Amino acid sequence: MSRFSEPQHPVFQRLNASVDFDWRLAPYDLAQSRAHAAMLAACGVITEAERDELHRGLEEVGTELDEGRFDFLPDDEDVHMAVERRVTELVGAVGGKLHTARSRNDQVATDMALFVRAHGARTHDALWGAMRALVELAERHLDWPMPGYTHLQRAQPVYLSHHLLAYFWMLERDAVRFARVVDAADRLPLGAGALAGVNFATDRQMVARELGFGAVAENSIDAVSNRDFVLDYLSAAATCATHLSRLGAEIVLFSSEEFGFCRVADAWASGSSIMPQKSNPDAAELLRAKAPRVAGHLVALHGVLHGLPLTYNKDLQEDKEHLFDAVDTLDLCLAAAQGMLETISFDQERLAAAASDEFLAATDVADLLVRRGIPFREAHGVVAGLVRRALDRGVTLSELSRDELAAESPALDEEFYEVLVGGRWLESKVSEGGTALERVREQLDRARKALGEE
Amino acid sequence: MSRFSEPQHPVFQRLNASVDFDWRLAPYDLAQSRAHAAMLAACGVITEAERDELHRGLEEVGTELDEGRFDFLPDDEDVHMAVERRVTELVGAVGGKLHTARSRNDQVATDMALFVRAHGARTHDALWGAMRALVELAERHLDWPMPGYTHLQRAQPVYLSHHLLAYFWMLERDAVRFARVVDAADRLPLGAGALAGVNFATDRQMVARELGFGAVAENSIDAVSNRDFVLDYLSAAATCATHLSRLGAEIVLFSSEEFGFCRVADAWASGSSIMPQKSNPDAAELLRAKAPRVAGHLVALHGVLHGLPLTYNKDLQEDKEHLFDAVDTLDLCLAAAQGMLETISFDQERLAAAASDEFLAATDVADLLVRRGIPFREAHGVVAGLVRRALDRGVTLSELSRDELAAESPALDEEFYEVLVGGRWLESKVSEGGTALERVREQLDRARKALGEE
Amino acid sequence: MSRFSEPQHPVFQRLNASVDFDWRLAPYDLAQSRAHAAMLAACGVITEAERDELHRGLEEVGTELDEGRFDFLPDDEDVHMAVERRVTELVGAVGGKLHTARSRNDQVATDMALFVRAHGARTHDALWGAMRALVELAERHLDWPMPGYTHLQRAQPVYLSHHLLAYFWMLERDAVRFARVVDAADRLPLGAGALAGVNFATDRQMVARELGFGAVAENSIDAVSNRDFVLDYLSAAATCATHLSRLGAEIVLFSSEEFGFCRVADAWASGSSIMPQKSNPDAAELLRAKAPRVAGHLVALHGVLHGLPLTYNKDLQEDKEHLFDAVDTLDLCLAAAQGMLETISFDQERLAAAASDEFLAATDVADLLVRRGIPFREAHGVVAGLVRRALDRGVTLSELSRDELAAESPALDEEFYEVLVGGRWLESKVSEGGTALERVREQLDRARKALGEE
Amino acid sequence: MSRFSEPQHPVFQRLNASVDFDWRLAPYDLAQSRAHAAMLAACGVITEAERDELHRGLEEVGTELDEGRFDFLPDDEDVHMAVERRVTELVGAVGGKLHTARSRNDQVATDMALFVRAHGARTHDALWGAMRALVELAERHLDWPMPGYTHLQRAQPVYLSHHLLAYFWMLERDAVRFARVVDAADRLPLGAGALAGVNFATDRQMVARELGFGAVAENSIDAVSNRDFVLDYLSAAATCATHLSRLGAEIVLFSSEEFGFCRVADAWASGSSIMPQKSNPDAAELLRAKAPRVAGHLVALHGVLHGLPLTYNKDLQEDKEHLFDAVDTLDLCLAAAQGMLETISFDQERLAAAASDEFLAATDVADLLVRRGIPFREAHGVVAGLVRRALDRGVTLSELSRDELAAESPALDEEFYEVLVGGRWLESKVSEGGTALERVREQLDRARKALGEE
């Protein structure tokens, strides 16, 4: 019997009910209920026979869910109520004992923590897949020169492998972040009750062990108020999605006729409803487009928590859809990134042609002067003069005459022309982490090691 | 026949397909297709018989949709393809003529504009409902004194009607904003083709008239790139949701035992899973919690459009879910706000007791001194001294003795005590828009006029 | 004398004081104080002689501010206090009468409304400048063909003028939005007092007229709580900045060696600290980069207002820096956009070469078949087959033989080759708003009209 | 000599120059330049004498900066240029050698990493201060009962110490997050050059050791593109600011006359410009109001990075102001939180009175029935009936008669009345992390341990 004299308004029910989305928590709700019942029995709050009945009911609900036979009813406000209602139908009045020494407040916080732990680990694995695809792609294109850009202007040539591995290290940092998300959800909320703890000497450590938590939440008020681990997942997801947006945007760019560097496989491209010649890199565009969605979820949850009084407020129900959509979006994006990378093809000639632009060696010419004792800042000025001359005359740097060189600096001699011979500019970048082939090979070793050992 | 040699990868299909959410555009897609076919016939691009066949097919699709008989198939990438596919099944090859002189790019922009117009108008109407509820509530509590707060400290008393009407004017501004959203979606994109216009001398004005647009988009590139009207809806929605969050937060606050000013009807409240005595204002909490969600959608769409090259990019598909969820969220919030306001009850005694705090008359005492020629800044200091004395002695202002008054200022005489007689402090706020009853009545007249005439 | 027994903590002062940024409100604060004093005298609350003294003080403060002689003191918490303090120094105790019938709550709301009105109008004018630059640039490049893109793939050719005018219409919508921002700040808050109105029968209409407001705020509580007009400015600014980010991103793209379509003038470009050959389109990159900053301000202010109780809370102080930075950012971006557009140069040959790609005529070939009675969807398939053949053989469409055409469709005859003669594809886009030259000329007329008449 | 023929436009200079804000990087720029010069000499790229000259110049610049004598000139585009310019003035042409084997791209990334490391550590320390204040405050109010709330409705009583410690654990998680931020900035970018590495066999490990980095960035492209560590700082800061917003909001709430639970010290409160009686908790309001600002910076930087091509783009300049303002905001908020907590006073009587509401024992009554074998769900219903009776009759629970109890359940006997004796409800929450005094003492031990040992 409720203390309310009126039924809920249908509009309120639509606003209030969460079962349309929180059904996804069902497996976690079952796992925690199983552990909770086991603990209640171990502590003597319920009998072993009652525990067995509850376990039987929970198992049957699990089977119904797995087999798609579980019916959510109109009056099931949320997944917790639906599960308890069904358990009670299956095992009778003892089902009403499941909620002993537990509140929906600590229950939902525990479900969310379990969900974040499971999905943090899954996202971590999905990153592994994309990272492997990058390493393999880099190995297949180890010594293909391409222009490196700054400000989207050709700057210095690099190997395609080196460029691809830049994304590897971004995703590697993401993987570290998701490992920490799993840690962040490692304190068990269950046992906090509504907010103050419960009236029974329960054994939270036992539940924690059973459910794989490393510790119990130290403060019952914090335990039911805390959604930091959801923020942590969303933040890691937003950074990862931003990385993928850069990858997607570069694939779109490199797929343009003007760049012509790569081509997304047909299995990852779309045609046009009106222009039969088009092959559009839709998957890459969507990688780009999804990042703001995830960042939007992050900022929204910060908004929900902003200024919120402690313990449970209904506002906390707004953590779920943001998290669930971020999880689904990131899963899909990572799978798409991996699939696209596994099948993308590059155009060696177009890349090489773009990389052979002599202006890309300007820094190298300046460094030649530096080796002759000219301060870099001055050498930079000399080469700027050469570039200006070449542009004015419409020639390449190597087409400048000895006299023109001399007019800019007496230190410019024959070696100037040697510096401009193709390929040198890449192999001269010998500093650690640089694009010289030897350095890229070291980097690939480190990448493989990161994948193999983490 | 497609120009692609490979089928789409299933992950790509999941990422790329929009039919799971853009089915909501179906009524708009049908309306535009009907108008488009009529125009094609009028311009001689198709025959009248072909038009009639197309209209027949579209009508049948509409019926199937209305009756829940329309089957979306796995290969229906989006609602546009689904509708065209079904029309062609129903009327044969002539269905393939529907896409003449049209691209999905201008088609989807037109569907979105129609959706925004329709829902901008609906939201406007929903605001009307909530505004009416506020006016009626204000009328029912016209002369109930309550404390007004600044910094959540009691500041000066006001009438409850006056406080409630503050929300009226917020929503009235929202209504103006949504009227402008409808205007913002008033230029027809259709006819822009993929991006450059179409190869037929079509009559866009005719389509515009048919669909109720005020004008045609002036530039075909802009027409397919533009989603300003979606930003406009989201921005208006975010502001409205922020207003409702303030209303929700105040209801939560006023429902606390400590304030005890109001009580949400049982039909809009929830119990606790563990604490039988609780009546929680969940609906009000959710009004508060939903605003960041809408603002999140707004900032996400800004992110999607950020730096996007012109004309259609697949990224634009990310306009839909943000808009649809914002529309649904705001509809539900406005309905809930209206319902809660229609049934909320206030506690006259608690309000009056809180409003009778004599410190709330401090400004009035200062203004008494001002009328006697003392500069306000000085008068303010005198009253601060009185307040300090009263607090130190633990008495009310009117319990201060004549000697104590004199110690602070010779200008304080018997009238001091008169100012402190209850009720005067409200009725003295006679400036336009102030809380004096006569002013509130004027305000109610203006509110009713705004509702009746807009 | 304050009622406080302790001085403020220095950390609190740093957190609390706003004078470091709200000094920008000084001109508006002076204007409102002048109007307020005039009204107080007209209503008999102060004498005419007092008003003249106050006006003299305010004028002197204005002069000091204009001449950079005004000293803000450490104890000036905000601009309002600083001005009143200085006025009192200049005219004596009568300065203390300035705050009669006014509170900082309605005072700051009024300053902010004045600021938004002034800057809404200024931004509107700055948009005019950029729009004029676009029209002139379009006129200078009226008939220069370039490729139009969808999904960043070449799709159909357009005239450069047409492409540029797409930005014109975006900014035109922005201008409408800023005109509405000015309207949104058109109700005078002053006279609302702290929250409840004031104890004097003031004449708010007189102040409104004096300060150029169209009306007075209807409800004193709403008047001091309302920051909608700031949200409106920020929302209009975010949309405008997003438009500019698209312009900036396209200039960056078109400036790449691969596209080679345009070149930012040296006055708007940067060199490299290390690569002497570089000319980087930094201004365009910054146009792109500034949009999220403005959107960040918008979402932050929504956050500040989220769930905030009515009337003035100190949180409202957080409206200022967000607004001020958005104003400055947008001003700078609009000036930079205009300056860059006035001096940018395009490469006619590169554009034309890219536009002559025959695949861009694929839709036109399909429409040729449509004119012969083949449903568009079927025609689309035929042309897809032609494209596939051409790509497989590495030839252009016009290099396909009559036999190859016949193999795809009997309806393909000599006219096929005529369609592929350069230029036709642009001029065939004759629909209203399309890229045919006649249509672009009409569009330029409309644009000039919009500029001239608004 | 530059390769540019025109000077920069003044508007472009304003848009482009960063020295107005990046001067804050000066100490980090000097440290890295010192380490860089030492390494260049160790590798034989410059002589030891040149190194000494450079070190002398850098030291002098450091002194000038410390003493406020350093003049930034109008042409100093950024802090890097300003420092190099001044060093060259001080030591002559050898100053031009400082930029050998370095680009502004890796230089600025290194400065930012150093800044993040330094400020991540500082923020961590500031958290320590606030955490200590919380522990001390909790110790001083160990056994003061107060109501705990859910949905802002009184739910179950807790000790004030327990409530305060909830904030301790939030900040403790924040401290962990900032420790990880420091880790995230632990890979040295310097040596990546413009993007590809440098033309000299430099010793990046030496520089890393010198500057305290744990490792060198593995990939030169990633090194100059990467701003993850800034996102990490902003994300940690946003979460911390959100925590502080909850603290601030509760202090505001508890300071209201209606709650009357606490009072902010005068040193942290403000008066009113018009209402002399007011003492406003401005510092607490500003804690609440600042969180959206930090979240706004986070979402803005995600926006800047969204879809950005690799290596350095000028857009990355937009990382600085977001970071700097977040750092300053959080520093100020943490100092204010600590200061406010150190001086806040609570009202034991008001807290106790609110906590003695008998309805707060409803769960305990239900659990009494549970102990007698009644399933919790059923017990919950019984107590709901009791609550309803008490509310209907306007009595407390303990005023219900034995007959009334019997009417709800035969299991309700004398012990019912014992449960309702004050204080029991707190001490019965004996589960780990609960509010029973023994549990709070354990918690305080853990908190002290966390502070002492971390």
Side-chain angles (χ1 to χ4, degrees), chain A residues 97-109:
Chain A
K97 298 206 166 185
L98 191 54
H99 209 56
T100 311
R102 184 170 74 170
S103 157
R104 259 191 296 184
N105 297 353
D106 55 346
Q107 183 176 6
V108 69

Side-chain angles (χ1 to χ4, degrees), chain A residues 344-418:
Chain A
I344 200 168
S345 57
F346 289 93
D347 185 326
Q348 193 164 16
E349 276 180 45
R350 291 289 294 262
L351 288 162
S356 68
D357 182 341
E358 269 185 10
F359 286 130
L360 303 192
T363 315
D364 303 69
V365 175
D367 282 342
L368 169 68
L369 294 171
V370 165
R371 288 180 209 280
R372 299 187 174 182
I374 298 175
F376 177 78
R377 192 57 65 199
E378 194 183 327
H380 183 274
V382 169
V383 182
L386 293 174
V387 168
R388 201 175 169 81
R389 275 180 193 269
L391 287 174
D392 286 351
R393 278 191 45 214
V395 298
T396 65
L397 286 178
S398 61
E399 289 168 347
L400 293 174
S401 69
R402 286 295 306 264
D403 287 353
E404 286 173 305
L405 301 190
E408 294 292 341
S409 167
L412 287 166
D413 56 16
E414 272 310 310
E415 206 178 332
F416 169 82
Y417 299 100
E418 286 168 34

Side-chain angles (χ1 to χ4, degrees), chain A residues 3 84 149 162 199 204 219-220 228 235 243 250 288 306 310-311 371 377 388 428 432 443, chain D residues 3 84 149 162 199 204 219-220 228 235 243 250 288 306 310-311 371 377 388 428 432 443:
Chain A
R3 55 160 294 223
E84 185 182 324
Y149 297 80
H162 190 55
N199 285 318
R204 295 179 71 199
N219 178 300
S220 60
D228 280 15
S235 177
H243 290 156
E250 281 210 337
R288 179 175 61 188
H306 167 240
L310 286 201
T311 102
R371 288 180 209 280
R377 192 57 65 199
R388 201 175 169 81
S428 65
E432 261 189 283
Q443 205 190 133
Chain D
R3 54 160 294 221
E84 186 183 322
Y149 297 79
H162 189 54
N199 285 316
R204 297 179 69 197
N219 178 300
S220 59
D228 280 15
S235 176
H243 290 154
E250 281 209 338
R288 178 176 62 188
H306 166 241
L310 286 201
T311 102
R371 289 179 209 280
R377 192 57 63 197
R388 202 174 169 83
S428 64
E432 261 188 285
Q443 202 188 138

Side-chain angles (χ1 to χ4, degrees), chain A residues 1 3-5 84 93 96-97 99-100 105 148-152 155-156 158 162-163 165-167 169-170 172-173 177 180 183 187 191 194-202 204-205 216 218-222 225-226 228 231-232 235 238-239 242-243 245-246 249-250 288 291-292 298 302 305-314 364 367 370-371 373 375-377 381 384-385 388 391 428-435 443, chain D residues 1 3-5 84 93 96-97 99-100 105 148-152 155-156 158 162-163 165-167 169-170 172-173 177 180 183 187 191 194-202 204-205 216 218-222 225-226 228 231-232 235 238-239 242-243 245-246 249-250 288 291-292 298 302 305-314 364 367 370-371 373 375-377 381 384-385 388 391 428-435 443:
Chain A
M1 178 205 154
R3 55 160 294 223
F4 291 109
S5 54
E84 185 182 324
K97 298 206 166 185
H99 209 56
T100 311
N105 297 353
Y149 297 80
T150 62
H151 305 262
L152 208 59
Q156 295 175 340
V158 294
H162 190 55
H163 187 91
L165 286 172
Y167 286 105
W169 300 109
M170 291 184 215
E172 189 260 350
R173 287 191 296 274
R177 245 174 240 110
R180 285 171 176 173
D183 293 348
R187 298 191 192 176
L195 77 145
V198 295
N199 285 318
F200 299 87
T202 55
R204 295 179 71 199
Q205 301 290 348
V216 302
E218 292 88 348
N219 178 300
S220 60
I221 291 176
D222 179 47
S225 307
N226 176 29
D228 280 15
L231 288 175
D232 288 336
S235 177
T239 300
T242 294
H243 290 156
S245 83
R246 301 182 77 169
E250 281 210 337
R288 179 175 61 188
L298 172 60
H302 273 295
L305 296 169
H306 167 240
L308 199 64
L310 286 201
T311 102
Y312 189 79
N313 300 276
K314 189 62 172 234
D364 303 69
D367 282 342
V370 165
R371 288 180 209 280
F376 177 78
R377 192 57 65 199
R388 201 175 169 81
L391 287 174
S428 65
K429 301 297 181 299
V430 294
S431 55
E432 261 189 283
T435 202
Q443 205 190 133
Chain D
M1 179 206 154
R3 54 160 294 221
F4 292 108
S5 54
E84 186 183 322
K97 298 206 167 186
H99 210 55
T100 311
N105 297 355
Y149 297 79
T150 62
H151 306 261
L152 208 61
Q156 295 175 340
V158 294
H162 189 54
H163 188 90
L165 285 172
Y167 286 105
W169 299 109
M170 291 184 217
E172 190 259 350
R173 286 191 298 272
R177 243 173 240 111
R180 285 172 177 175
D183 293 347
R187 299 190 191 177
L195 78 144
V198 296
N199 285 316
F200 299 87
T202 55
R204 297 179 69 197
Q205 302 289 350
V216 302
E218 291 88 347
N219 178 300
S220 59
I221 292 176
D222 179 47
S225 308
N226 176 29
D228 280 15
L231 288 176
D232 288 336
S235 176
T239 299
T242 294
H243 290 154
S245 83
R246 302 182 76 169
E250 281 209 338
R288 178 176 62 188
L298 172 59
H302 272 295
L305 295 169
H306 166 241
L308 199 62
L310 286 201
T311 102
Y312 188 80
N313 299 275
K314 188 62 171 233
D364 303 71
D367 282 341
V370 165
R371 289 179 209 280
F376 177 78
R377 192 57 63 197
R388 202 174 169 83
L391 287 174
S428 64
K429 300 297 179 302
V430 293
S431 56
E432 261 188 285
T435 200
Q443 202 188 138

Side-chain angles (χ1 to χ4, degrees), chain B residues 65-85:
Chain B
L65 281 160
D66 288 348
E67 297 176 356
R69 289 189 287 113
F70 188 94
D71 285 324
F72 288 97
L73 303 185
D75 277 354
D76 289 337
E77 183 182 317
D78 56 33
V79 66
H80 322 295
M81 286 308 194
V83 167
E84 186 183 323
R85 188 257 311 151

